[in-house]
Amino acid sequence: MDQPYHTPVLLDEVLSFLRPREGGTYVDCTLGGGGHAEAVLNAISGKGLLVGFDRDPDAIRAAGERLGRFGASVALVPHNFDAVRNRLRQLNINEVDGFLLDLGVSSHQLNDPGRGFSFQQEGPLDMRMGRETTVSGLEIVNTYAEEDLKRIFREYGEERMAGRIAWRIARQREERPIETTADLAKAVRRAVGERFILKTLARIFQAIRIEVNDELENLRRFLGDSIPLLAAGGRIVVISYNSLEDRIVKNWMREEASVKERLVPLTKKPVVPSEKELSENKRSRSAKLRAAERKQP
């Protein structure tokens, strides 16, 4: 690959908290282009196993090229990470030494206009991370009731102008379908004007993307399945990019630590990128890392 598929965020911090060791089994639940996975594989020196999940066929293809030299130390699974329990069972894996989740959208997905993730490039309103997803952004924007649009903008985008934006979209689609990212951005601009428009557009696009890909429920399902699969002393590292994901992870770790007493938190506060990383990779600016360890029996 001439250009990196995606620059891994908080790479040194991931390795520090995940603590990969030779002979261990690790699961990268959000493989992307394989940047984090490559670093883990280097750390285990080909004497363990890295299982990589991703529902995006482009990511699986890019990671396969990047990680091919590691041979049998890599197993790529073209499915979403909420299927981790069943897919690991199919690989005869009952226990792992570490889980990594790097949530959100990859640079490759954002930079591809055909995927429809970014309001900064015109493309079809798709937003599906995996082609098996049946509902696209196009259907949500054009078929959801106005009240449902308002709900997802408020819940998944935390947008205070949710009602006004939903109303405008409903009126605009009466004239003609909203088919592209530019069409949607235009409707949002008509609803709220130009003040703080970039942040508003980011929240609206985030909300639709979360709804399309069922991101929050997928995360909850994975977290619910993860502890029985994690070996004693094994670690889970999660990088989130919005307050909704971070809140789910924080509350889950807190409950597992203080109520169920199955985890030991390794991060009192989320770890964020350094000034150096922020200057080199602006898309890391909203990243927050939390980590925990499975208690010894």
Side-chain angles (χ1 to χ4, degrees):
M1 293 177 294
D2 296 328
Q3 299 294 327
Y5 183 96
H6 180 67
T7 302
V9 172
L10 292 166
L11 181 58
D12 291 340
E13 293 83 353
V14 164
L15 293 176
S16 175
F17 284 106
L18 193 62
R19 203 173 55 182
R21 57 176 176 78
E22 290 186 6
T25 299
Y26 299 90
V27 179
D28 186 339
C29 297
T30 47
L31 188 62
H36 286 118
E38 182 179 46
V40 171
L41 284 160
N42 283 327
I44 65 177
S45 305
K47 298 177 182 178
L49 178 66
L50 184 287
V51 182
F53 283 77
D54 208 295
R55 58 176 155 181
D56 186 340
D58 290 346
I60 291 291
R61 184 164 48 252
E65 294 175 8
R66 184 171 190 164
L67 306 177
R69 71 182 189 277
F70 293 101
S73 292
V74 182
L76 302 185
V77 183
H79 291 280
N80 192 46
F81 60 79
D82 68 332
V84 65
R85 182 174 58 183
N86 291 334
R87 298 299 172 180
L88 289 180
R89 186 183 298 125
Q90 291 172 4
L91 293 171
N92 295 316
I93 297 171
N94 299 313
E95 191 173 74
V96 303
D97 297 293
F99 284 113
L100 169 64
L101 290 90
D102 181 9
L103 304 169
V105 188
S106 73
S107 299
H108 176 83
Q109 290 168 328
L110 285 168
N111 292 335
D112 182 352
R115 303 299 295 272
F117 285 108
S118 175
F119 58 85
Q120 296 178 321
Q121 303 182 74
E122 183 167 11
L125 264 180
D126 194 327
M127 299 195 193
R128 292 176 297 163
M129 289 184 175
R131 297 306 184 188
E132 83 287 351
T133 305
T134 56
V135 177
S136 69
L138 179 72
E139 292 172 75
I140 288 171
V141 169
N142 287 285
T143 67
Y144 271 35
E146 182 180 329
E147 279 301 309
D148 289 328
L149 290 176
K150 178 180 176 181
R151 172 185 57 80
I152 68 168
F153 295 159
R154 179 174 291 161
E155 292 182 7
Y156 298 156
E158 299 181 298
E159 172 55 54
R160 64 186 182 87
M161 297 286 193
R164 184 182 298 183
I165 295 169
W167 182 88
R168 170 48 60 191
I169 288 173
R171 302 291 80 73
Q172 185 156 321
R173 70 192 186 189
E174 289 174 356
E175 301 172 12
R176 63 181 180 85
I178 298 172
E179 297 180 335
T180 68
T181 54
D183 291 341
L184 177 58
K186 181 179 179 181
V188 175
R189 281 189 163 91
R190 289 182 67 186
V192 301
E194 289 297 322
R195 192 180 184 194
F196 308 124
I197 186 60
L198 294 182
K199 290 185 177 180
T200 300
L201 286 169
R203 289 191 289 264
I204 295 303
F205 273 66
Q206 171 186 294
I208 296 170
R209 191 200 77 224
I210 288 174
E211 176 73 8
V212 167
N213 297 288
D214 200 20
E215 292 176 36
L216 302 185
E217 287 307 311
N218 286 335
L219 176 58
R220 290 188 181 99
R221 281 191 288 269
F222 166 79
L223 294 175
D225 288 342
S226 64
I227 298 295
L229 295 167
L230 194 60
R235 295 185 167 192
I236 180 167
V237 177
V238 185
I239 303 172
S240 60
Y241 294 86
N242 62 61
S243 60
L244 301 172
E245 295 167 342
D246 184 57
R247 193 177 303 127
I248 290 170
V249 175
K250 177 182 69 175
N251 291 339
W252 174 77
M253 287 186 176
R254 180 182 295 163
E255 180 180 2
E256 289 291 343
S258 61
V259 179
K260 298 182 180 179
E261 300 184 342
R262 298 194 292 184
L263 286 181
V264 178
L266 301 173
T267 49
K268 289 185 177 180
K269 293 183 178 180
V271 176
V272 298
S274 65
E275 290 298 325
K276 181 177 184 295
E277 180 167 5
L278 288 170
S279 67
E280 295 173 351
N281 182 10
K282 292 182 179 179
R283 285 181 176 161
S284 71
R285 64 187 179 274
S286 58
K288 292 182 178 180
L289 181 152
R290 294 185 187 271
E293 180 176 299
R294 179 77 192 269
K295 275 191 174 182
Q296 299 286 347

